[in-house]
């Protein structure tokens, strides 16, 4: 790999990312869960536990706060491709007046396009393209899938044995809701902001906020305009 020409290596990374995302099972952005920004590609395996909450209308008239948690694992392939997968559960309205726990699963991949730093290495920056696929179950035969495509714009500040990271992830999101009568797609813009603080090669605190604007649909199956706001907080370990 290290002997490849830079241009060839870039296309290899891009091909690997597209292949994995396209082949991933219905399991990346979940309902009510801000995207975990990929950050700078490092060779450490990272695991995270996060709690999250969301507010916003959905196909089941859900206007209150839903909350839940996720467990996720992250690793690096081919130096610049970051993979993240995880499982979780969210307590959400499964009918207008019925709330229950529902499982969620996701897999995402990010390709680091740009990475640099100042002369001393105290400040680093990166730009990555991210996509993935996530699913949540609903009552009976119903389900919900989410597909984001966006850019992670990252600033990383090193301060001795600890660091501070700020990420903005603008994206376009697609959501497919299947109420047992066939799937209906919504789409629209979204953005996630993430702040991470931790020790180099150790534990870190992650806080993220997320906003989406999904358009309403009409026809045989009509869905309302969906504008959820979500936040999450958790801990991450580098192994």
């Amino acid at each position: 790999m290290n002997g490849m020409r830079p241009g060839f290596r870039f296309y290899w990374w891009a091909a690997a990312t597209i292949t994995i995302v396209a082949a991933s099972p219905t399991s990346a952005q979940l309902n009510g869960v801000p995207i975990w920004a990929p950050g700078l590609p490092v060779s450490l395996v990272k695991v995270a536990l996060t709690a999250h909450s969301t507010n916003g209308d959905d196909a089941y008239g859900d206007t209150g706060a839903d909350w839940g948690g996720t467990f996720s694992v992250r690793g690096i392939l081919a130096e610049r491709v970051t993979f993240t997968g995880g499982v979780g559960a969210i307590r959400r309205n499964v009918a207008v007046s019925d709330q229950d726990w529902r499982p969620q699963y996701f897999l995402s991949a990010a390709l680091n396009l740009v990475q640099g730093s100042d002369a001393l290495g105290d400040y680093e920056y990166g730009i990555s393209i991210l996509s993935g696929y996530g699913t949540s179950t609903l009552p009976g035969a119903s389900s919900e899938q989410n597909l984001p495509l966006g850019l992670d714009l990252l600033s990383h500040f090193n301060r001795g044995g600890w660091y501070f990271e700020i990420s903005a992830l603008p994206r376009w999101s697609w959501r497919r809701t299947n109420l047992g009568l066939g799937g209906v797609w919504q789409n629209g813009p979204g953005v996630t902001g993430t702040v991470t603080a931790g020790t180099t090669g150790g534990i870190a605190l992650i806080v993220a906020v997320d906003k989406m604007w999904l358009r309403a649909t009409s026809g045989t199956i009509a869905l309302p305009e969906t504008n959820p706001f979500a936040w999450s907080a958790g801990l991450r370990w580098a192994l």
Side-chain angles (χ1 to χ4, degrees), residues 31-32 54-67 90-100 138 144 175 224-228:
N31 180 67
T54 183
N55 284 275
D57 294 342
D58 62 19
Y60 283 88
D62 193 353
T63 58
D66 296 333
W67 52 277
I90 184 170
R91 184 170 174 81
R92 63 179 300 186
N93 279 34
V94 294
V96 174
S97 60
D98 182 17
Q99 196 171 57
D100 195 10
L138 296 172
E144 179 182 273
R175 173 175 293 177
E225 181 177 321
T226 306
N227 302 315

Side-chain angles (χ1 to χ4, degrees), residues 5 21 26 29 40 58 102 105 108 111 136 153 159 165 174 212 228:
R5 296 190 303 275
V21 171
T26 56
Q29 170 70 23
L40 298 173
D58 62 19
R102 294 290 161 173
Y105 314 92
S108 65
L111 172 65
S136 305
L153 311 174
R159 294 294 181 268
E165 224 173 56
W174 292 264
M212 296 173 65

Side-chain angles (χ1 to χ4, degrees), residues 81-236:
V81 180
T82 302
F83 292 96
T84 307
V87 298
I90 184 170
R91 184 170 174 81
R92 63 179 300 186
N93 279 34
V94 294
V96 174
S97 60
D98 182 17
Q99 196 171 57
D100 195 10
W101 286 100
R102 294 290 161 173
Q104 299 182 303
Y105 314 92
F106 74 94
L107 177 67
S108 65
L111 172 65
N112 179 246
L113 302 175
V114 177
Q115 183 177 353
S117 67
D118 62 9
L120 298 177
D122 292 335
Y123 170 72
E124 298 178 83
Y125 59 89
I127 300 175
S128 300
I129 185 170
L130 177 142
S131 187
Y133 200 50
T135 185
S136 305
T137 64
L138 296 172
S142 302
S143 63
E144 179 182 273
Q145 290 82 38
N146 289 276
L147 171 66
L149 178 63
L151 283 177
D152 177 49
L153 311 174
L154 183 82
S155 293
H156 181 101
F157 303 89
N158 294 305
R159 294 294 181 268
W162 64 279
Y163 68 89
F164 181 74
E165 224 173 56
I166 302 174
S167 166
L169 205 161
R171 68 183 187 277
W172 198 266
S173 296
W174 292 264
R175 173 175 293 177
R176 180 180 184 270
T177 303
N178 187 340
L179 304 180
L181 302 172
V184 178
W185 285 95
Q186 295 173 279
N187 68 87
V191 63
T192 296
T194 305
V195 175
T196 306
T199 58
T200 304
I203 195 169
L205 172 66
I206 311 168
V207 177
V209 294
D210 183 273
K211 181 66 176 177
M212 296 173 65
W213 295 268
L214 297 176
R215 299 166 178 168
T217 66
S218 59
T220 305
I221 302 175
L223 298 179
E225 181 177 321
T226 306
N227 302 315
F229 171 80
W231 63 268
S232 68
L235 295 176
R236 184 184 74 193

Side-chain angles (χ1 to χ4, degrees), residues 30 33-34 36 48-52 68-72 86-89 104 106 232:
L30 299 177
V33 184
W36 177 7
L49 287 171
T50 58
H52 54 82
T70 59
F71 171 78
S72 46
V87 298
Q104 299 182 303
F106 74 94
S232 68

